Amino acid sequence: MSSQTQPGVAGAEEARVRVKELYRTRGVDVAEDAKNFDSLLRDRFAGQFRRERGTLLAAAQQGLPTRIRRASFAAGAHHVLLAQLADTLRDEAGLDMSSALWVTETFAEILRPELLSPAPARESTTRMEPHAASPEPQIAPPPTPRL
């Protein structure tokens, strides 16, 4: 999972930074009370980042921060876990997938940074024989639309 820059694209990273600061000053359970969390976000965002605030609040109302904090996962399966959490949030809160991924990654980055570490490289079980340089792959042009 790559770091998403949705929902408001330009303000997404700044909103993420402000939420991190909110968690740093208020503690890991800051989003447990959604009404209080909304008030804190309104203060912290000072009228900016409305879309991000709505996305963060929807996720808090659905218990996403608690799910992330309590999640257990098999080694190397953290990307699957984040995708499942985002998909569940999309279904439960009616968010588009890019917003669900953004907010899931935001809370994971704050609460469980190890969930965002790159997936471990897997060792190949097949033996690759060295060979001469292969030609560049050919990319076919897109099909012509029918009118």
Side-chain angles (χ1 to χ4, degrees):
M1 227 180 237
S2 64
S3 185
Q4 299 288 317
T5 56
Q6 286 286 342
V9 182
E13 272 312 305
E14 179 62 26
R16 185 176 277 175
V17 167
R18 291 185 189 193
V19 173
K20 284 182 191 179
E21 177 65 20
L22 181 62
Y23 266 86
R24 192 179 66 70
T25 59
R26 296 289 185 142
V28 295
D29 60 349
V30 70
E32 295 296 317
D33 177 353
K35 189 174 181 178
N36 186 50
F37 186 55
D38 186 33
S39 294
L40 292 169
L41 288 174
R42 285 177 189 273
D43 290 344
R44 185 69 52 154
F45 290 175
Q48 299 177 320
F49 316 116
R50 287 188 175 107
R51 187 168 177 200
E52 290 82 2
R53 184 179 56 79
T55 302
L56 289 159
L57 183 58
Q61 289 169 333
Q62 296 300 321
L64 180 66
T66 302
R67 290 179 190 178
I68 289 173
R69 283 195 349 245
R70 295 181 181 168
S72 61
F73 55 93
H78 51 282
H79 295 287
V80 173
L81 171 68
L82 291 176
Q84 288 173 340
L85 289 170
D87 194 49
T88 299
L89 183 60
R90 183 195 63 183
D91 292 342
E92 291 177 354
L95 297 175
D96 62 81
M97 194 56 166
S98 61
S99 295
L101 287 168
W102 177 83
V103 75
T104 300
E105 287 182 359
T106 297
F107 280 121
E109 187 175 322
I110 294 166
L111 299 168
R112 302 276 301 273
E114 73 275 13
L115 292 176
L116 297 176
S117 63
R122 295 182 183 183
E123 290 187 30
S124 175
T125 57
T126 59
R127 181 175 159 87
M128 301 287 290
E129 295 295 325
H131 59 279
S134 54
E136 298 262 339
Q138 299 297 317
I139 300 173
T144 306
R146 295 183 187 190
L147 299 178

Short mmCIF file of all heavy atoms in Angstrom, two decimals, residues 60-125:
data_model
loop_
_atom_site.label_atom_id
_atom_site.label_comp_id
_atom_site.label_asym_id
_atom_site.label_seq_id
_atom_site.Cartn_x
_atom_site.Cartn_y
_atom_site.Cartn_z
N ALA A 60 -13.52 7.33 12.69
CA ALA A 60 -13.58 7.24 14.16
C ALA A 60 -14.94 6.71 14.60
O ALA A 60 -15.01 5.88 15.51
CB ALA A 60 -13.31 8.61 14.78
N GLN A 61 -16.00 7.15 13.95
CA GLN A 61 -17.34 6.67 14.30
C GLN A 61 -17.49 5.18 14.04
O GLN A 61 -18.26 4.51 14.73
CB GLN A 61 -18.40 7.46 13.53
CG GLN A 61 -18.53 8.89 14.00
CD GLN A 61 -19.38 9.75 13.07
OE1 GLN A 61 -19.49 9.49 11.87
NE2 GLN A 61 -19.97 10.78 13.63
N GLN A 62 -16.76 4.67 13.06
CA GLN A 62 -16.81 3.24 12.75
C GLN A 62 -15.79 2.42 13.56
O GLN A 62 -15.69 1.22 13.39
CB GLN A 62 -16.56 3.01 11.26
CG GLN A 62 -17.63 3.60 10.37
CD GLN A 62 -19.01 3.02 10.64
OE1 GLN A 62 -19.15 1.83 10.89
NE2 GLN A 62 -20.02 3.86 10.60
N GLY A 63 -15.04 3.09 14.44
CA GLY A 63 -14.11 2.38 15.31
C GLY A 63 -12.79 1.99 14.66
O GLY A 63 -12.08 1.12 15.19
N LEU A 64 -12.43 2.63 13.56
CA LEU A 64 -11.19 2.27 12.87
C LEU A 64 -9.95 2.40 13.75
O LEU A 64 -9.13 1.47 13.77
CB LEU A 64 -11.03 3.08 11.59
CG LEU A 64 -9.77 2.77 10.79
CD1 LEU A 64 -9.80 1.34 10.24
CD2 LEU A 64 -9.58 3.77 9.66
N PRO A 65 -9.77 3.49 14.51
CA PRO A 65 -8.56 3.57 15.33
C PRO A 65 -8.43 2.40 16.32
O PRO A 65 -7.36 1.83 16.49
CB PRO A 65 -8.71 4.90 16.07
CG PRO A 65 -9.59 5.71 15.17
CD PRO A 65 -10.55 4.73 14.58
N THR A 66 -9.54 2.01 16.93
CA THR A 66 -9.52 0.89 17.86
C THR A 66 -9.20 -0.41 17.14
O THR A 66 -8.41 -1.23 17.63
CB THR A 66 -10.87 0.77 18.59
OG1 THR A 66 -11.12 2.00 19.27
CG2 THR A 66 -10.88 -0.36 19.58
N ARG A 67 -9.78 -0.61 15.96
CA ARG A 67 -9.50 -1.82 15.18
C ARG A 67 -8.02 -1.91 14.84
O ARG A 67 -7.42 -2.99 14.89
CB ARG A 67 -10.31 -1.84 13.89
CG ARG A 67 -11.78 -2.05 14.10
CD ARG A 67 -12.50 -2.02 12.77
NE ARG A 67 -13.94 -1.99 12.96
CZ ARG A 67 -14.82 -1.92 11.99
NH1 ARG A 67 -14.39 -1.89 10.74
NH2 ARG A 67 -16.10 -1.90 12.24
N ILE A 68 -7.43 -0.78 14.47
CA ILE A 68 -6.01 -0.78 14.11
C ILE A 68 -5.16 -1.07 15.34
O ILE A 68 -4.23 -1.88 15.28
CB ILE A 68 -5.61 0.56 13.45
CG1 ILE A 68 -6.21 0.63 12.05
CG2 ILE A 68 -4.09 0.71 13.40
CD1 ILE A 68 -6.04 1.96 11.35
N ARG A 69 -5.47 -0.45 16.46
CA ARG A 69 -4.68 -0.67 17.67
C ARG A 69 -4.75 -2.12 18.13
O ARG A 69 -3.78 -2.66 18.65
CB ARG A 69 -5.15 0.25 18.80
CG ARG A 69 -4.67 1.67 18.65
CD ARG A 69 -4.79 2.54 19.89
NE ARG A 69 -5.55 2.01 20.98
CZ ARG A 69 -6.70 2.55 21.44
NH1 ARG A 69 -7.22 3.60 20.87
NH2 ARG A 69 -7.32 2.02 22.46
N ARG A 70 -5.89 -2.76 17.98
CA ARG A 70 -6.09 -4.12 18.49
C ARG A 70 -5.82 -5.22 17.47
O ARG A 70 -5.88 -6.40 17.81
CB ARG A 70 -7.52 -4.26 19.01
CG ARG A 70 -7.79 -3.39 20.20
CD ARG A 70 -9.17 -3.58 20.71
NE ARG A 70 -9.41 -2.71 21.86
CZ ARG A 70 -10.58 -2.47 22.37
NH1 ARG A 70 -11.65 -3.04 21.86
NH2 ARG A 70 -10.71 -1.67 23.40
N ALA A 71 -5.55 -4.85 16.25
CA ALA A 71 -5.39 -5.84 15.19
C ALA A 71 -4.20 -6.75 15.42
O ALA A 71 -3.15 -6.31 15.86
CB ALA A 71 -5.26 -5.14 13.84
N SER A 72 -4.41 -8.00 15.13
CA SER A 72 -3.29 -8.95 15.09
C SER A 72 -3.20 -9.45 13.66
O SER A 72 -4.19 -9.53 12.95
CB SER A 72 -3.52 -10.10 16.07
OG SER A 72 -4.69 -10.81 15.72
N PHE A 73 -2.00 -9.74 13.25
CA PHE A 73 -1.79 -10.14 11.87
C PHE A 73 -0.57 -11.03 11.79
O PHE A 73 0.33 -10.94 12.61
CB PHE A 73 -1.63 -8.92 10.96
CG PHE A 73 -0.54 -7.98 11.41
CD1 PHE A 73 0.74 -8.09 10.91
CD2 PHE A 73 -0.81 -6.99 12.35
CE1 PHE A 73 1.74 -7.23 11.34
CE2 PHE A 73 0.19 -6.13 12.78
CZ PHE A 73 1.47 -6.26 12.27
N ALA A 74 -0.58 -11.88 10.79
CA ALA A 74 0.56 -12.76 10.55
C ALA A 74 1.71 -11.94 9.98
O ALA A 74 1.48 -10.92 9.32
CB ALA A 74 0.17 -13.86 9.58
N ALA A 75 2.90 -12.37 10.24
CA ALA A 75 4.08 -11.68 9.72
C ALA A 75 3.95 -11.53 8.20
O ALA A 75 3.62 -12.47 7.51
CB ALA A 75 5.35 -12.47 10.06
N GLY A 76 4.16 -10.32 7.74
CA GLY A 76 4.10 -10.03 6.31
C GLY A 76 2.69 -9.82 5.78
O GLY A 76 2.52 -9.50 4.61
N ALA A 77 1.66 -9.97 6.61
CA ALA A 77 0.28 -9.84 6.14
C ALA A 77 -0.32 -8.48 6.48
O ALA A 77 -1.52 -8.30 6.35
CB ALA A 77 -0.57 -10.96 6.72
N HIS A 78 0.50 -7.54 6.93
CA HIS A 78 -0.04 -6.25 7.35
C HIS A 78 -0.68 -5.47 6.20
O HIS A 78 -1.65 -4.75 6.41
CB HIS A 78 1.02 -5.41 8.06
CG HIS A 78 2.30 -5.26 7.31
ND1 HIS A 78 3.24 -6.27 7.27
CD2 HIS A 78 2.80 -4.26 6.57
CE1 HIS A 78 4.27 -5.87 6.54
NE2 HIS A 78 4.02 -4.66 6.10
N HIS A 79 -0.18 -5.64 4.99
CA HIS A 79 -0.78 -4.94 3.85
C HIS A 79 -2.18 -5.48 3.57
O HIS A 79 -3.08 -4.72 3.22
CB HIS A 79 0.12 -5.06 2.62
CG HIS A 79 1.43 -4.36 2.80
ND1 HIS A 79 1.54 -2.99 2.78
CD2 HIS A 79 2.67 -4.84 3.04
CE1 HIS A 79 2.80 -2.66 2.99
NE2 HIS A 79 3.50 -3.76 3.16
N VAL A 80 -2.35 -6.77 3.75
CA VAL A 80 -3.67 -7.38 3.57
C VAL A 80 -4.61 -6.84 4.64
O VAL A 80 -5.76 -6.50 4.36
CB VAL A 80 -3.57 -8.92 3.63
CG1 VAL A 80 -4.95 -9.56 3.63
CG2 VAL A 80 -2.72 -9.45 2.49
N LEU A 81 -4.14 -6.76 5.87
CA LEU A 81 -4.95 -6.25 6.97
C LEU A 81 -5.41 -4.82 6.67
O LEU A 81 -6.59 -4.50 6.82
CB LEU A 81 -4.16 -6.27 8.28
CG LEU A 81 -4.83 -5.55 9.46
CD1 LEU A 81 -6.08 -6.29 9.90
CD2 LEU A 81 -3.86 -5.39 10.60
N LEU A 82 -4.51 -3.96 6.25
CA LEU A 82 -4.88 -2.57 5.95
C LEU A 82 -5.89 -2.50 4.82
O LEU A 82 -6.84 -1.70 4.87
CB LEU A 82 -3.64 -1.74 5.63
CG LEU A 82 -2.70 -1.47 6.81
CD1 LEU A 82 -1.47 -0.73 6.35
CD2 LEU A 82 -3.41 -0.72 7.92
N ALA A 83 -5.71 -3.30 3.80
CA ALA A 83 -6.66 -3.32 2.68
C ALA A 83 -8.03 -3.78 3.15
O ALA A 83 -9.06 -3.21 2.76
CB ALA A 83 -6.14 -4.20 1.56
N GLN A 84 -8.07 -4.79 4.02
CA GLN A 84 -9.34 -5.28 4.54
C GLN A 84 -10.02 -4.22 5.40
O GLN A 84 -11.24 -4.03 5.32
CB GLN A 84 -9.13 -6.56 5.35
CG GLN A 84 -8.80 -7.76 4.51
CD GLN A 84 -8.44 -8.98 5.34
OE1 GLN A 84 -8.07 -8.88 6.52
NE2 GLN A 84 -8.50 -10.14 4.72
N LEU A 85 -9.24 -3.54 6.24
CA LEU A 85 -9.81 -2.48 7.07
C LEU A 85 -10.37 -1.35 6.21
O LEU A 85 -11.46 -0.83 6.48
CB LEU A 85 -8.77 -1.94 8.05
CG LEU A 85 -8.38 -2.87 9.19
CD1 LEU A 85 -7.16 -2.32 9.93
CD2 LEU A 85 -9.54 -3.05 10.16
N ALA A 86 -9.65 -0.97 5.17
CA ALA A 86 -10.12 0.09 4.28
C ALA A 86 -11.39 -0.35 3.55
O ALA A 86 -12.34 0.43 3.41
CB ALA A 86 -9.03 0.47 3.28
N ASP A 87 -11.43 -1.60 3.11
CA ASP A 87 -12.59 -2.11 2.41
C ASP A 87 -13.82 -2.14 3.33
O ASP A 87 -14.92 -1.75 2.93
CB ASP A 87 -12.29 -3.50 1.85
CG ASP A 87 -13.32 -3.95 0.84
OD1 ASP A 87 -13.63 -3.18 -0.09
OD2 ASP A 87 -13.82 -5.09 0.98
N THR A 88 -13.62 -2.57 4.56
CA THR A 88 -14.70 -2.59 5.54
C THR A 88 -15.19 -1.17 5.81
O THR A 88 -16.40 -0.92 5.86
CB THR A 88 -14.23 -3.25 6.85
OG1 THR A 88 -13.84 -4.59 6.57
CG2 THR A 88 -15.31 -3.24 7.91
N LEU A 89 -14.26 -0.25 5.96
CA LEU A 89 -14.63 1.14 6.21
C LEU A 89 -15.40 1.71 5.02
O LEU A 89 -16.39 2.43 5.20
CB LEU A 89 -13.37 1.98 6.47
CG LEU A 89 -13.59 3.43 6.82
CD1 LEU A 89 -14.43 3.58 8.09
CD2 LEU A 89 -12.26 4.13 7.00
N ARG A 90 -14.98 1.39 3.83
CA ARG A 90 -15.69 1.84 2.63
C ARG A 90 -17.14 1.35 2.68
O ARG A 90 -18.07 2.11 2.44
CB ARG A 90 -15.00 1.31 1.38
CG ARG A 90 -15.66 1.80 0.09
CD ARG A 90 -15.20 1.02 -1.08
NE ARG A 90 -15.65 -0.37 -0.86
CZ ARG A 90 -15.37 -1.36 -1.66
NH1 ARG A 90 -14.64 -1.17 -2.72
NH2 ARG A 90 -15.80 -2.56 -1.41
N ASP A 91 -17.33 0.09 3.02
CA ASP A 91 -18.68 -0.47 3.09
C ASP A 91 -19.50 0.12 4.23
O ASP A 91 -20.67 0.44 4.05
CB ASP A 91 -18.62 -1.99 3.23
CG ASP A 91 -18.08 -2.69 2.00
OD1 ASP A 91 -18.07 -2.06 0.91
OD2 ASP A 91 -17.67 -3.86 2.12
N GLU A 92 -18.90 0.26 5.40
CA GLU A 92 -19.63 0.71 6.58
C GLU A 92 -19.91 2.21 6.59
O GLU A 92 -20.96 2.64 7.05
CB GLU A 92 -18.87 0.35 7.85
CG GLU A 92 -18.82 -1.13 8.13
CD GLU A 92 -18.00 -1.48 9.36
OE1 GLU A 92 -17.35 -0.58 9.95
OE2 GLU A 92 -17.98 -2.66 9.73
N ALA A 93 -18.96 3.01 6.11
CA ALA A 93 -19.10 4.46 6.20
C ALA A 93 -19.46 5.10 4.86
O ALA A 93 -19.69 6.31 4.81
CB ALA A 93 -17.81 5.08 6.74
N GLY A 94 -19.49 4.32 3.80
CA GLY A 94 -19.84 4.86 2.50
C GLY A 94 -18.78 5.76 1.88
O GLY A 94 -19.08 6.62 1.06
N LEU A 95 -17.52 5.55 2.28
CA LEU A 95 -16.43 6.34 1.71
C LEU A 95 -15.99 5.74 0.38
O LEU A 95 -16.13 4.54 0.17
CB LEU A 95 -15.22 6.34 2.66
CG LEU A 95 -15.41 6.97 4.03
CD1 LEU A 95 -14.16 6.76 4.88
CD2 LEU A 95 -15.74 8.44 3.91
N ASP A 96 -15.44 6.59 -0.49
CA ASP A 96 -14.84 6.03 -1.70
C ASP A 96 -13.54 5.34 -1.27
O ASP A 96 -13.00 5.60 -0.20
CB ASP A 96 -14.59 7.11 -2.76
CG ASP A 96 -13.63 8.18 -2.30
OD1 ASP A 96 -12.41 7.93 -2.35
OD2 ASP A 96 -14.10 9.26 -1.88
N MET A 97 -13.05 4.45 -2.10
CA MET A 97 -11.90 3.62 -1.71
C MET A 97 -10.65 4.45 -1.45
O MET A 97 -9.90 4.16 -0.53
CB MET A 97 -11.62 2.53 -2.75
CG MET A 97 -10.68 1.48 -2.23
SD MET A 97 -11.32 0.74 -0.70
CE MET A 97 -10.31 -0.69 -0.56
N SER A 98 -10.41 5.50 -2.23
CA SER A 98 -9.19 6.29 -2.00
C SER A 98 -9.25 7.00 -0.65
O SER A 98 -8.24 7.08 0.04
CB SER A 98 -8.96 7.29 -3.14
OG SER A 98 -10.03 8.20 -3.23
N SER A 99 -10.42 7.47 -0.25
CA SER A 99 -10.55 8.10 1.07
C SER A 99 -10.41 7.06 2.18
O SER A 99 -9.77 7.32 3.20
CB SER A 99 -11.90 8.81 1.20
OG SER A 99 -11.98 9.89 0.31
N ALA A 100 -10.98 5.88 1.96
CA ALA A 100 -10.87 4.81 2.97
C ALA A 100 -9.41 4.38 3.14
O ALA A 100 -8.95 4.17 4.27
CB ALA A 100 -11.74 3.62 2.56
N LEU A 101 -8.68 4.29 2.03
CA LEU A 101 -7.25 3.94 2.13
C LEU A 101 -6.47 5.05 2.82
O LEU A 101 -5.60 4.79 3.65
CB LEU A 101 -6.67 3.67 0.75
CG LEU A 101 -7.08 2.36 0.10
CD1 LEU A 101 -6.70 2.35 -1.37
CD2 LEU A 101 -6.47 1.19 0.83
N TRP A 102 -6.75 6.30 2.46
CA TRP A 102 -6.05 7.43 3.07
C TRP A 102 -6.23 7.44 4.58
O TRP A 102 -5.26 7.55 5.33
CB TRP A 102 -6.53 8.76 2.47
CG TRP A 102 -5.88 9.94 3.12
CD1 TRP A 102 -4.65 10.46 2.84
CD2 TRP A 102 -6.41 10.73 4.19
NE1 TRP A 102 -4.39 11.53 3.67
CE2 TRP A 102 -5.45 11.72 4.51
CE3 TRP A 102 -7.60 10.70 4.92
CZ2 TRP A 102 -5.65 12.66 5.51
CZ3 TRP A 102 -7.79 11.64 5.92
CH2 TRP A 102 -6.82 12.60 6.21
N VAL A 103 -7.46 7.32 5.04
CA VAL A 103 -7.72 7.40 6.48
C VAL A 103 -7.18 6.17 7.20
O VAL A 103 -6.66 6.27 8.32
CB VAL A 103 -9.21 7.67 6.78
CG1 VAL A 103 -10.07 6.44 6.59
CG2 VAL A 103 -9.38 8.26 8.17
N THR A 104 -7.23 5.00 6.57
CA THR A 104 -6.67 3.79 7.18
C THR A 104 -5.17 3.94 7.33
O THR A 104 -4.61 3.65 8.40
CB THR A 104 -7.02 2.55 6.33
OG1 THR A 104 -8.45 2.44 6.25
CG2 THR A 104 -6.46 1.29 6.95
N GLU A 105 -4.50 4.42 6.29
CA GLU A 105 -3.06 4.63 6.38
C GLU A 105 -2.71 5.74 7.38
O GLU A 105 -1.70 5.65 8.07
CB GLU A 105 -2.49 4.96 5.01
CG GLU A 105 -2.46 3.76 4.10
CD GLU A 105 -1.85 4.07 2.73
OE1 GLU A 105 -1.48 5.23 2.48
OE2 GLU A 105 -1.77 3.14 1.93
N THR A 106 -3.54 6.75 7.46
CA THR A 106 -3.28 7.84 8.41
C THR A 106 -3.30 7.31 9.84
O THR A 106 -2.37 7.53 10.61
CB THR A 106 -4.31 8.98 8.23
OG1 THR A 106 -4.15 9.54 6.92
CG2 THR A 106 -4.12 10.07 9.28
N PHE A 107 -4.37 6.58 10.19
CA PHE A 107 -4.45 6.04 11.55
C PHE A 107 -3.38 4.98 11.78
O PHE A 107 -2.81 4.91 12.88
CB PHE A 107 -5.84 5.48 11.83
CG PHE A 107 -6.85 6.54 12.19
CD1 PHE A 107 -7.99 6.71 11.44
CD2 PHE A 107 -6.66 7.37 13.29
CE1 PHE A 107 -8.94 7.68 11.76
CE2 PHE A 107 -7.59 8.35 13.62
CZ PHE A 107 -8.73 8.51 12.85
N ALA A 108 -3.07 4.16 10.78
CA ALA A 108 -2.01 3.16 10.94
C ALA A 108 -0.66 3.82 11.17
O ALA A 108 0.12 3.38 12.02
CB ALA A 108 -1.96 2.24 9.72
N GLU A 109 -0.38 4.88 10.43
CA GLU A 109 0.89 5.59 10.58
C GLU A 109 1.04 6.16 11.99
O GLU A 109 2.13 6.16 12.56
CB GLU A 109 0.96 6.72 9.55
CG GLU A 109 2.28 7.43 9.49
CD GLU A 109 2.33 8.46 8.37
OE1 GLU A 109 1.77 8.21 7.29
OE2 GLU A 109 2.92 9.53 8.61
N ILE A 110 -0.06 6.60 12.57
CA ILE A 110 -0.04 7.18 13.90
C ILE A 110 0.01 6.10 14.98
O ILE A 110 0.80 6.18 15.91
CB ILE A 110 -1.28 8.07 14.11
CG1 ILE A 110 -1.22 9.29 13.18
CG2 ILE A 110 -1.42 8.50 15.57
CD1 ILE A 110 -2.53 10.04 13.07
N LEU A 111 -0.85 5.09 14.85
CA LEU A 111 -1.05 4.11 15.92
C LEU A 111 -0.19 2.86 15.81
O LEU A 111 0.16 2.26 16.83
CB LEU A 111 -2.53 3.70 15.96
CG LEU A 111 -3.49 4.84 16.24
CD1 LEU A 111 -4.92 4.40 15.97
CD2 LEU A 111 -3.34 5.34 17.67
N ARG A 112 0.10 2.44 14.59
CA ARG A 112 0.86 1.21 14.38
C ARG A 112 1.77 1.37 13.18
O ARG A 112 1.55 0.78 12.12
CB ARG A 112 -0.09 0.02 14.13
CG ARG A 112 -1.11 -0.31 15.20
CD ARG A 112 -0.57 -1.18 16.31
NE ARG A 112 -0.05 -2.45 15.90
CZ ARG A 112 -0.75 -3.57 15.75
NH1 ARG A 112 -2.04 -3.59 15.96
NH2 ARG A 112 -0.16 -4.68 15.40
N PRO A 113 2.82 2.19 13.28
CA PRO A 113 3.67 2.44 12.11
C PRO A 113 4.25 1.19 11.47
O PRO A 113 4.55 1.19 10.28
CB PRO A 113 4.77 3.36 12.64
CG PRO A 113 4.50 3.60 14.07
CD PRO A 113 3.27 2.88 14.47
N GLU A 114 4.38 0.12 12.23
CA GLU A 114 4.93 -1.11 11.67
C GLU A 114 4.02 -1.69 10.59
O GLU A 114 4.46 -2.46 9.74
CB GLU A 114 5.19 -2.16 12.76
CG GLU A 114 3.95 -2.82 13.34
CD GLU A 114 3.27 -2.07 14.47
OE1 GLU A 114 3.58 -0.88 14.70
OE2 GLU A 114 2.42 -2.67 15.15
N LEU A 115 2.74 -1.30 10.58
CA LEU A 115 1.82 -1.78 9.56
C LEU A 115 2.13 -1.20 8.18
O LEU A 115 1.68 -1.72 7.17
CB LEU A 115 0.37 -1.43 9.93
CG LEU A 115 -0.20 -2.15 11.14
CD1 LEU A 115 -1.60 -1.65 11.43
CD2 LEU A 115 -0.20 -3.65 10.94
N LEU A 116 2.88 -0.11 8.13
CA LEU A 116 3.20 0.53 6.87
C LEU A 116 4.58 0.18 6.34
O LEU A 116 4.99 0.68 5.30
CB LEU A 116 3.06 2.04 6.98
CG LEU A 116 1.65 2.52 7.31
CD1 LEU A 116 1.64 4.02 7.51
CD2 LEU A 116 0.67 2.12 6.24
N SER A 117 5.29 -0.70 7.05
CA SER A 117 6.62 -1.08 6.58
C SER A 117 6.47 -1.89 5.30
O SER A 117 5.47 -2.57 5.10
CB SER A 117 7.36 -1.87 7.65
OG SER A 117 6.67 -3.07 7.91
N PRO A 118 7.47 -1.82 4.43
CA PRO A 118 7.38 -2.57 3.17
C PRO A 118 7.25 -4.06 3.43
O PRO A 118 7.78 -4.58 4.42
CB PRO A 118 8.70 -2.27 2.46
CG PRO A 118 9.31 -1.13 3.19
CD PRO A 118 8.70 -1.09 4.56
N ALA A 119 6.54 -4.73 2.56
CA ALA A 119 6.40 -6.17 2.66
C ALA A 119 7.77 -6.81 2.50
O ALA A 119 8.57 -6.36 1.68
CB ALA A 119 5.45 -6.70 1.60
N PRO A 120 8.08 -7.83 3.30
CA PRO A 120 9.39 -8.46 3.17
C PRO A 120 9.55 -9.12 1.81
O PRO A 120 8.59 -9.65 1.26
CB PRO A 120 9.40 -9.50 4.30
CG PRO A 120 7.98 -9.74 4.62
CD PRO A 120 7.23 -8.47 4.28
N ALA A 121 10.75 -9.05 1.31
CA ALA A 121 11.04 -9.69 0.02
C ALA A 121 11.02 -11.20 0.21
O ALA A 121 11.54 -11.71 1.20
CB ALA A 121 12.40 -9.22 -0.49
N ARG A 122 10.42 -11.86 -0.71
CA ARG A 122 10.35 -13.32 -0.63
C ARG A 122 11.48 -13.92 -1.45
O ARG A 122 11.78 -13.44 -2.54
CB ARG A 122 9.02 -13.82 -1.17
CG ARG A 122 7.87 -13.38 -0.34
CD ARG A 122 6.60 -13.94 -0.89
NE ARG A 122 5.48 -13.44 -0.11
CZ ARG A 122 4.25 -13.79 -0.32
NH1 ARG A 122 3.95 -14.64 -1.27
NH2 ARG A 122 3.29 -13.29 0.43
N GLU A 123 12.06 -14.96 -0.91
CA GLU A 123 13.11 -15.64 -1.66
C GLU A 123 12.46 -16.53 -2.69
O GLU A 123 11.47 -17.21 -2.42
CB GLU A 123 13.96 -16.49 -0.71
CG GLU A 123 14.81 -15.64 0.21
CD GLU A 123 15.75 -16.50 1.01
OE1 GLU A 123 16.17 -17.57 0.51
OE2 GLU A 123 16.07 -16.11 2.12
N SER A 124 13.01 -16.51 -3.86
CA SER A 124 12.49 -17.33 -4.94
C SER A 124 12.86 -18.79 -4.71
O SER A 124 13.96 -19.10 -4.29
CB SER A 124 13.06 -16.84 -6.27
OG SER A 124 12.64 -17.70 -7.30
N THR A 125 11.91 -19.67 -4.99
CA THR A 125 12.20 -21.10 -4.84
C THR A 125 12.58 -21.71 -6.18
O THR A 125 12.95 -22.86 -6.24
CB THR A 125 10.98 -21.85 -4.27
OG1 THR A 125 9.86 -21.60 -5.13
CG2 THR A 125 10.68 -21.40 -2.86
#
